[in-house]
Amino acid sequence: MLSQLTGLSRHFTEQTLRAYLIDRSVRRDDGCLIVRGYGSRRGVRQKVAGRAWAHIAAYVVFVGGYDPELDVRHICGTPDCIEPTHLQQVTHAETCRDRAQQPHCRNGHERDIDPTSGRYRKVCRVCNSEAQQRWRVRQSAEVAAARAAYGRQVG
């Protein structure tokens, strides 16, 4: 069964992998079992035990009946959760169908609809405009500092 996992270190057995995942995880108040994998980013899918995805490894050792042709989906919506009751196997088409686009960006601005595709734009125009303005301010400060260092007049 473990041989079907891509990137898993060979020295793991089901028992040692189960203990390894439990040791690297912490239970949250909402019932999710959050795993700490490689890297410092939290809230994203985690790799553990070699280069295997933690949620797939957890599905194999805790639930069983893993089919490599199907995707493992988080019912809770938390990508770094390995709670067995929050994981289920679905087809890739179902995974894509459930991935709805958000009408607002992460800063709360309404997204524009792209006229060519009829879907929400990936980049928020308001956030992009604000980022460009911040860049222009930084660039003008750097140019002014460079001119001052050469004794030229800032203007």
Side-chain angles (χ1 to χ4, degrees), residues 26-39:
V26 63
R27 174 84 55 195
R28 281 196 329 201
D29 294 337
D30 61 359
C32 287
L33 189 61
I34 304 299
V35 68
R36 183 180 179 279
Y38 303 138

Side-chain angles (χ1 to χ4, degrees), residues 30-64:
D30 61 359
C32 287
L33 189 61
I34 304 299
V35 68
R36 183 180 179 279
Y38 303 138
S40 59
R41 290 185 62 198
R42 300 283 72 93
V44 295
R45 289 185 175 159
Q46 299 292 313
K47 286 193 171 185
V48 294
R51 291 183 298 162
W53 291 110
H55 64 288
I56 297 175
Y59 189 87
V60 169
V61 296
F62 293 126
V63 178

